């Protein structure tokens, strides 16, 4: 008005309804992601560009025994990785910080009690809204029990191999083509044919008397079909032509399920 008196107010507005909706949706997605990370049935951790832990989910806490508040802010490699793996893990994290993701990397986490847990890790760069790398997220799979199971299976297999090799009875094996793939010390001693000489040869054609080859071949064929035979008189022919009769149990050999 005249002489500058206040005569009212002008309001200039901006419709931010859609912006608020988008912001709320982004927050919901972020919350869902945080909840997913926290409750995932796999160890998940994150580090910043200095290698300090800034993410540590429940499974990581359960495996290592370190609660989240105990892990946050500590150097991942120096505090939670087995000494023999530290240099390699540091390299993997540095690569991820340069944008080079790493999949199925095996590392050993150290628990609070000093136990070692083997984890198969996927390391991925963590980025901000503008795409800049802010750290690394590691998603792991605890394969400690699997490794122990494999080690136990290998131990049993080694024990069985030694048992076969040193048994006080001739033991041989064939593949599905009838070729020798097992030949223990006793078989070598009786027949005068070393394991190296026997492997890869047809059992029936090379070591069975001609007149018995058909019947022996039939027994072995049935065993390969799952029909096992006990106490079959097997006439072996030694390297010098001497015949040895062995009472045979022919058992199907099966691979892993």
């Amino acid at each position: 008005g005249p002489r500058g008196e206040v005569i009212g107010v002008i309001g200039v507005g901006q419709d931010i309804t859609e912006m608020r909706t988008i912001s709320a949706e982004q927050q919901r997605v972020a919350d869902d992601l945080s909840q997913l990370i926290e409750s995932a049935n796999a160890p998940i951790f994150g580090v910043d560009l200095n290698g300090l832990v800034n993410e540590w989910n429940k499974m990581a806490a359960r495996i290592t025994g370190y609660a989240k508040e105990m892990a946050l802010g500590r150097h991942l490699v120096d505090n939670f990785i087995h000494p023999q793996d530290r240099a390699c893990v540091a390299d993997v994290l540095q690569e991820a910080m340069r944008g080079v993701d790493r999949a199925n990397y095996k590392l050993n986490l150290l628990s609070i009690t000093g136990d070692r847990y083997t984890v198969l890790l996927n390391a991925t760069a963590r980025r901000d809204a503008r795409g800049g790398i802010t750290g690394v997220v590691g998603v792991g799979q605890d394969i400690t029990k699997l490794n122990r199971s494999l080690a136990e299976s290998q131990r049993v297999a080694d024990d069985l191999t030694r048992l076969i090799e040193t048994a006080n009875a001739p033991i041989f094996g064939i593949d599905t083509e009838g070729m020798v793939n097992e030949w223990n010390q006793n078989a070598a001693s009786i027949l005068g044919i070393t394991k190296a000489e026997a492997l890869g040869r047809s059992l029936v054609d090379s070591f069975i008397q001609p007149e018995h080859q058909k019947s022996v071949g039939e027994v072995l064929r049935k065993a390969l079909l799952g029909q096992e035979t006990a106490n079959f008189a097997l006439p072996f022919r030694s390297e010098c032509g001497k015949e040895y009769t062995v009472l045979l149990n022919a058992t199907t050999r099966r691979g892993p399920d």
Side-chain angles (χ1 to χ4, degrees):
R3 296 189 299 276
E5 296 96 336
V6 175
I7 60 173
V9 176
I10 293 177
V12 179
Q14 179 183 2
D15 183 3
I16 60 170
T17 306
E18 186 175 353
M19 185 185 300
R20 281 187 171 181
T21 302
I22 293 173
S23 179
E25 178 63 16
Q26 289 175 336
Q27 185 61 49
R28 187 191 64 77
V29 171
D31 291 343
D32 286 349
L33 181 58
S34 294
Q35 186 175 356
L36 176 64
I37 290 174
E38 189 61 28
S39 60
N41 192 29
I44 299 177
F45 60 82
V47 297
D48 61 19
L49 294 176
N50 294 315
L52 303 181
V53 175
N54 57 13
E55 188 66 70
W56 193 262
N57 77 340
K58 289 180 180 178
M59 184 56 70
R62 184 183 305 173
I63 288 175
T64 63
Y66 288 100
K68 187 171 186 174
E69 57 270 19
M70 297 170 66
L72 293 180
R74 298 176 67 182
H75 197 274
L76 177 76
V77 173
D78 292 345
N79 292 283
F80 305 109
I81 304 299
H82 193 275
Q84 72 181 31
D85 294 332
R86 285 174 183 168
C88 293
V89 173
D91 288 342
V92 168
L93 295 178
Q94 285 299 318
E95 285 185 7
M97 289 177 190
R98 292 193 294 269
V100 181
D101 295 345
R102 190 71 173 269
N104 297 328
Y105 178 79
K106 189 183 293 185
L107 63 84
N108 291 301
L109 285 174
L110 279 179
S111 75
I112 197 169
T113 58
D115 293 326
R116 184 189 308 190
Y117 289 88
T118 306
V119 172
L120 207 58
L121 180 74
N122 288 351
T124 305
R126 197 170 198 173
R127 300 176 185 272
D128 59 22
R130 292 188 293 273
I133 294 175
T134 61
V136 177
V137 174
V139 180
Q141 178 186 358
D142 182 7
I143 59 172
T144 307
K145 290 182 180 178
L146 174 62
N147 278 357
R148 289 173 182 168
S149 177
L150 290 175
E152 177 62 15
S153 296
Q154 186 60 50
R155 186 192 65 77
V156 171
D158 291 343
D159 287 348
L160 181 59
T161 298
R162 282 192 294 271
L163 177 64
I164 289 173
E165 192 60 33
T166 60
N168 191 28
I171 298 177
F172 65 85
I174 59 169
D175 61 20
T176 55
E177 302 298 322
M179 302 299 176
V180 175
N181 57 12
E182 189 64 70
W183 192 263
N184 77 340
Q185 293 175 8
N186 195 271
S189 176
I190 289 176
L191 300 175
I193 301 168
T194 67
K195 186 172 186 174
E197 293 170 331
L199 292 180
R201 295 170 65 180
S202 170
L203 178 77
V204 172
D205 293 343
S206 300
F207 306 112
I208 305 300
Q209 295 285 6
E211 62 270 24
H212 299 296
Q213 287 179 356
K214 184 177 180 180
S215 60
V216 172
E218 182 63 18
V219 167
L220 297 178
R221 186 188 68 81
K222 287 181 178 179
L224 289 171
L225 294 174
Q227 302 174 35
E228 299 176 354
T229 300
N231 298 328
F232 176 79
L234 178 67
F236 267 116
R237 184 177 63 219
S238 73
E239 187 72 356
C240 60
K242 185 176 180 180
E243 184 173 323
Y244 290 87
T245 301
V246 174
L247 205 58
L248 177 74
N249 288 344
T251 304
T252 306
R253 195 174 196 176
R254 302 180 187 276
D257 293 337

